[in-house]
Every structure is written in C-alpha cells, then in structure tokens.
Amino acid sequence: MDQKDNSKYLTVTALSQYLKRKFDVDPYLGHVYLMGEISNYRPRPNSHQYFSLKDNKAKISAIMFKSAFSKVKFVPEEGMKVLVRGRISLYEPSGTYQIYVDSMEPDGLGALYLALEQLKKKLAQQGIFDLPKKPIPQFPKQIAVVTSQSGAVIHDIMTTVERRYPIAQIVLFPAQVQGEGAAETIVDQLKRINEKGYFDTIIIGRGGGSIEDLWPFNEEIVAQAIVSSSIPVISSVGHETDTTIADMVADLRAATPTAAAELATPVLRDVLLHLQDLNVRMYNAQNQIIQSYRDRVTNFANNVYLQHPERIYDDYRLRVDKATDKLCQTMLGLIHNSKQIMYDQENRLVKSSPRDQLHYYDTTVNNLTQQMLTSVRQLINNKKNTFGSRVAALDSLSPLKTLSRGYAIPTDDNNKILERTSDYKINDEVNLKVIDGTVTLVTKDISEDNNG
C-alpha cells in the first residue's frame, strides 16, 4: 500500500496563524468604524470588558481593554446603540474574529451628555439632591476659593469682596479646573479646607466653556466631596445658562463668580447703616424703658401708704377683728350643735336600754319553755297511746294468743307447719306445739274433709 504525502496538509494552528496575519496586515481592518447595539454585556469592575455588537442580521464579538475603557465617559448598557472605533483581528485559540475597541460613543446623544444624565439619575436615586442645604453665614470672616490661580474668577471674587465687605479674608486654594486630573485636584482642595476647619464659606467655580471644559464639575467624586463638606459651598461654574452637577449639589448656586461673591458677603456699608439704625432704636428703647420705670417709681412715691406707712396696718387690724368675731361666732355655733347632738344621743340610748330588752327576752324564753314542755308531754302521750294500740293489735295476731285458746300447731321434723292432709303420712311423727310445750304424735289415720 502506498504511503500518503502529508506535506500538503496544514495544521489547524498554521491555518489560524495565517488567517490572523491576513487580518492584522489588512489596512482596512486596522481602523474600523462600527455602529451597532451592545449585547451580552456584563460589567467587570476595574478590568477588561467583553461584549458583542449586533444589528438585525449579524453579530461580532468585541473586547475593550481596561486602559481604553477607563476613558469612556458614560456607562454602557445592554441594548444601547453605540459608535466604536477599533481593529479587527482573529483570536487563534477559538478561531473567531473580533473587534478590539479603542473608543466608544453613544449613537445620537453625545457621550458627555449621556454620562451627565446617567450621573444625575444615579445621584437622584441616592437622594443627594434632596439633602438639606446648609445655610450660608451672613458675616463671614474667612472665605476659601477653589479655582484656577491664573483665571479671572479669583480676580472677580476678590474685587467684589473688597468692594462689598473688605473685612473678610479671601484665601485661594488653587486647583486645576479643566482637563485630565482636574476633578481630583478639586476634591483634594475641598478636603484640605475642611481639615483646616476655620473657614466660614467655600466658593468653587470657574469661567464659562464647553461641556468638555466644564466636565470636572460633573464628576461624581466632586459631587460627593461637596455633599460631604461640613462648610457651606457656593458653586459658580460657567455662565448663567450652564448647570453642572456641582451647581445642583452645592448649598447655593451663583450664576457668575461675581454673583457668588455677592451671595457670600453682605455690603459693609449697609451693615454699618443697619447697625447704626439698630443702635438708635436700642437707645430709644432703653430711654422708653427707663422713663417707664421712672414713672412707676413716681407713682409708688406718691402712694398714700408709702407716705403714711402706719395706715398699712389699719386695714389688717380691721380684717383681724372681723375674722376674730367670725371665729367666735363659729365656735359658739359648733359648741351648741355638739351639745344638741349629745342630748339627742343620750335620749336614744335611754329609749334603747338593754334592761327592757332583757326582760322581754326573758319572758319570751319562759313562755317558749312552757310551750315546749306541754308539746313534749302531749307528744309522749300520743306516742304511748299509739304504741299500746299497736301492741294490742300485734297481740291479737300472735300465735301464742291462738294457742292460749286451746289450739295447737303441727310441724314436721324440719319445723315445717303441716297445713293440709297431704302434708301427713301414716306412721310419721308429728310435733304438736301447744301453749306450754311440744307433744310428739304418730299418724295413724288420715281422712280428708269433703267440704274442703
């Protein structure tokens, strides 16, 4: 049998390597722009992301490495339509082709706007927007400002505070307010201010710009830092029409940095005028109070009892005399009533003397005793008569009474009374009971009475 030539056969690995090289060197597959719907997406925190992109007729596997996914501003969701950019390559172990995604944006709405809406929804579910706002101190001594050191914001705030309330101290905490790492520097400065603890108010802000420029103030870590601040925060980010997450969670929102400074400080001149007005009102009020006390002292001084103190006791003497008379009359009335009650009780005791009751009860007992003796005698006599009659009746029915009249009672050896001729037998002994003993007889003849 001829041996087959295997040199023309490829291994699976060799074929996979060949196809992978074809994918990798194809210029059209090195930069691919795809539009599709996310499918089979399971978020993997702090790791590479694996999912699929599909349309009505086809599906392709996708992978996005951790470094690329960290730059995505929104949160991908199952079924979301997205625009991705990447390269197509072959995964040799399984022999499947897939896209390695370098960037991703939502289809239609911009990535930043989508991320902003997603963060608003998340914070709303956590109840952060409903937390109570801290009041802004009315007369601050020290104000911390978190903004760029080189921007116009700090200049506007300092100028406004100097004009309105120059006794307040402005302390700048420089922070990066745009670009990569800006959110982290803002959070660090907010923490520093709270650690120092002696500031009355915090102003955080920057000038206007695009949503990309203002994005650090839409970061969740900045929102959490503002909410966690124990010092009231005034947010002034962008222009009047720009609204960021920082504006929404701050204790007070200002349209511009100048407005923020105005909200943080009063006008010193107005404060001084108000203090002067309060001073005048307090002075007038004190004078009115003093005059009122003077009038009261004058009225007391003109009182007749103060001019003639001895008259104070006259009224009390009269009241004591009247009270004494009333007390005496009351005591006499009480004594009279007590005597009358005592007399009434004595008469009741005399009328209800126990001697009469004892005599009545003694008589009653004697009468009842005589009645009882009479009844007992009568009862005994009745019992005797009844007994005698019953004895006589029993005696009349006694067999001995019959025997005393000459009759006898025949019995056999078993003391059975022989009543009829059939109870007798010839030559049997018969015991005959008479009044004074027993006679034994022998039966010689038996004859029946035909009348019986």
Side-chain angles (χ1 to χ4, degrees), residues 103-175:
S103 65
M104 180 190 307
E105 291 185 1
D107 185 15
L109 189 66
L112 293 181
Y113 285 103
L114 178 60
L116 179 61
E117 293 304 317
Q118 289 178 338
L119 181 56
K120 286 182 181 178
K121 181 179 179 181
K122 177 181 178 181
L123 296 179
Q125 291 175 347
Q126 295 176 357
I128 289 180
F129 296 139
D130 300 326
L131 294 175
K133 305 297 184 181
K134 293 181 285 294
I136 306 301
Q138 188 176 3
F139 305 106
K141 296 179 181 179
Q142 291 182 312
I143 301 173
V145 180
V146 179
T147 187
S148 173
Q149 185 174 6
S150 59
V153 173
I154 184 62
H155 178 267
D156 293 342
I157 292 175
M158 293 179 65
T159 302
T160 303
V161 173
E162 179 66 24
R163 171 175 53 84
R164 290 171 56 88
Y165 199 67
I167 61 175
Q169 180 184 6
I170 303 297
V171 179
L172 172 64
F173 287 81

Side-chain angles (χ1 to χ4, degrees), residues 1-6 9:
M1 184 175 180
D2 297 336
Q3 186 176 3
K4 292 184 179 180
D5 184 10
N6 293 335
Y9 290 92

Side-chain angles (χ1 to χ4, degrees), residues 205-335:
R206 59 152 289 152
S210 63
I211 187 172
E212 290 82 3
D213 296 336
L214 302 180
W215 190 252
F217 298 93
N218 288 319
E219 295 280 0
E220 183 177 2
I221 58 174
V222 174
Q224 294 291 354
I226 292 175
V227 171
S228 302
S229 175
S230 60
I231 302 172
V233 178
I234 299 176
S235 176
S236 173
V237 180
H239 298 300
E240 188 171 356
T241 56
D242 299 321
T243 302
T244 63
I245 297 293
D247 294 326
M248 299 173 68
V249 300
D251 298 297
L252 190 61
R253 191 238 175 182
T256 63
T258 300
E262 292 175 350
L263 293 173
T265 58
V267 179
L268 182 59
R269 182 180 58 187
D270 295 341
V271 173
L272 294 176
L273 290 175
H274 182 62
L275 290 175
Q276 291 178 0
D277 179 62
L278 291 176
N279 188 33
V280 172
R281 291 171 61 185
M282 182 176 64
Y283 177 77
N284 293 333
Q286 287 179 343
N287 286 338
Q288 291 179 0
I289 294 172
I290 293 173
Q291 186 60 42
S292 174
Y293 282 115
R294 285 176 178 170
D295 294 340
R296 292 179 65 184
V297 169
T298 301
N299 292 333
F300 288 143
N302 294 331
N303 191 292
V304 64
Y305 292 108
L306 290 178
Q307 294 179 356
H308 302 282
E310 68 278 1
R311 296 185 183 181
I312 296 176
Y313 301 102
D314 293 343
D315 182 52
Y316 288 105
R317 289 194 187 105
L318 293 175
R319 291 170 64 182
V320 170
D321 291 341
K322 290 181 179 180
T324 303
D325 294 339
K326 185 176 180 180
L327 178 62
C328 291
Q329 292 177 0
T330 302
M331 293 302 297
L332 290 174
L334 290 174
I335 293 172

Side-chain angles (χ1 to χ4, degrees), residues 409-419 423 431:
I409 301 173
T411 62
D412 59 11
D413 293 336
N414 296 325
N415 288 329
K416 179 181 178 182
I417 297 175
L418 305 175
E419 297 178 353
D423 296 332
N431 296 321

Side-chain angles (χ1 to χ4, degrees), residues 192-211:
R192 281 186 58 200
I193 296 170
N194 278 272
E195 288 173 357
K196 293 182 180 297
Y198 49 76
F199 288 95
D200 300 301
T201 310
I202 300 174
I203 297 177
I204 178 174
R206 59 152 289 152
S210 63
I211 187 172

